Amino acid sequence: MDLRYTVRRQTSAMAAGITIRRYQDDDKETVKEIFTMGMSEHVPSSFMHLLKQPLTQMILMVTFCALLASSKSVLLPVVGVTLLLAGAKQLVGYLFNSYIDTSLRKDLDHIQETYLENKDSCFWVAESDDRVVATVACLPAEREPGCMELKRLSVRRTHRGMGIAKALCRTVADFSRERGFPAVVLYTSVVQTDAQRLYENLGYTRVREFVIPEPIAKIANFTLIEYRLDLLQGGK
């Protein structure tokens, strides 16, 4: 079934339609670009999240005080803390770049094989004026057997606030419901507050929070949130 329909925002601010269709091979590079740009946008907020952690603040304070005591000058502690902050930002950037590279290798370089050769998985794009502006995918969840997992939801910055993400999420819910899945699960990060509000407005409930097991993520206390939409209870 090729889910293709037009979504229109119910305000006077938008008159153009958005078409949602199945992924085609010609979409590959655009899909990878949208995903990469979307993930990279979270580096600044993740850096701020790192700075709010008690361990980070303690390290910065101890470094400043130690350098101040040893040098009797304010300049050296300021330089030292500045270098630590620069290193911390590089650390966060490395974390996201590693995730992007892993995602490209794992499925976004092989969308046809990963999502379109099984009746219980799919990958969609949203088009505006014949230009791909958003993506979403789903496949049976590995961590939650029997459930569907929503993945790769990303919308170009220029097309946000138009109801596209909501329509893509509902596409996944309809697809999952038609195939008899009782629930849709997904994972988002603690810094993606807009995504969290979207999912909760669509009826998803927060199941749990957990720190990513990679050492760098543990240092940054980078937390993922698991959401679940129960389709048998009238999920949207």
Side-chain angles (χ1 to χ4, degrees):
M1 177 181 177
D2 186 359
L3 296 176
R4 177 184 287 266
Y5 53 92
T6 299
V7 182
R8 294 184 183 275
R9 190 181 181 192
Q10 299 302 312
T11 70
S12 59
M14 177 184 175
I18 302 295
T19 301
I20 297 176
R21 61 167 174 79
R22 283 170 58 98
Y23 167 89
Q24 299 171 0
D25 288 340
D26 290 344
D27 303 322
K28 183 175 182 178
E29 295 305 317
T30 304
V31 165
K32 290 163 63 175
E33 176 196 356
I34 292 173
F35 171 76
T36 300
M37 292 178 61
M39 292 305 304
S40 299
E41 289 176 7
H42 300 303
V43 171
S45 58
S46 299
F47 177 59
M48 294 304 299
H49 172 75
L50 174 61
L51 294 184
K52 293 176 183 178
Q53 301 308 307
L55 177 60
T56 303
Q57 295 176 1
M58 182 185 72
I59 291 173
L60 293 173
M61 180 63 69
V62 169
T63 300
F64 184 89
C65 292
L67 292 175
L68 181 63
S70 63
S71 67
K72 307 300 183 182
S73 168
V74 176
L75 180 59
L76 183 59
V78 170
V79 171
V81 169
T82 300
L83 290 174
L84 279 178
L85 291 173
K89 191 167 185 179
Q90 289 292 323
L91 187 71
V92 173
Y94 173 80
L95 180 65
F96 273 87
N97 287 334
S98 296
Y99 175 72
I100 290 170
D101 290 342
T102 299
S103 299
L104 293 176
R105 290 195 309 269
K106 185 177 181 181
D107 62 280
L108 290 177
D109 278 333
H110 315 282
I111 294 176
Q112 185 72 36
E113 298 90 333
T114 305
Y115 295 103
L116 300 179
E117 293 184 355
N118 188 315
K119 67 179 182 63
D120 288 335
S121 58
C122 197
F123 198 108
W124 297 269
V125 299
E127 281 186 325
S128 175
D129 297 325
D130 296 322
R131 180 191 182 205
V132 174
V133 297
T135 69
V136 77
C138 68
L139 76 178
E142 293 181 4
R143 297 178 181 176
E144 297 291 335
C147 297
M148 187 72 83
E149 181 177 353
L150 184 150
K151 298 172 68 70
R152 308 310 182 210
L153 177 64
S154 188
V155 181
R156 286 189 186 274
R157 182 185 289 272
T158 54
H159 287 75
R160 292 173 190 169
M162 298 164 61
I164 298 174
K166 185 178 292 186
L168 289 170
C169 288
R170 286 174 171 161
T171 298
V172 170
D174 291 343
F175 180 87
S176 304
R177 189 181 291 109
E178 289 170 2
R179 282 152 181 76
F181 284 84
V184 178
V185 297
L186 61 86
Y187 302 90
T188 191
S189 72
V190 67
V191 302
Q192 292 174 265
T193 53
D194 289 343
Q196 293 168 35
R197 284 192 291 270
L198 167 69
Y199 300 137
E200 290 167 9
N201 287 338
L202 286 170
Y204 282 83
T205 56
R206 188 176 298 212
V207 177
R208 64 186 177 111
E209 297 184 16
F210 59 96
V211 176
I212 300 175
E214 282 75 6
I216 295 177
K218 287 184 177 180
I219 293 173
N221 193 31
F222 197 78
T223 304
L224 289 184
I225 304 171
E226 179 182 342
Y227 279 95
R228 179 185 177 102
L229 178 69
D230 289 315
L231 301 175
L232 299 182
Q233 298 179 8
K236 298 178 182 180

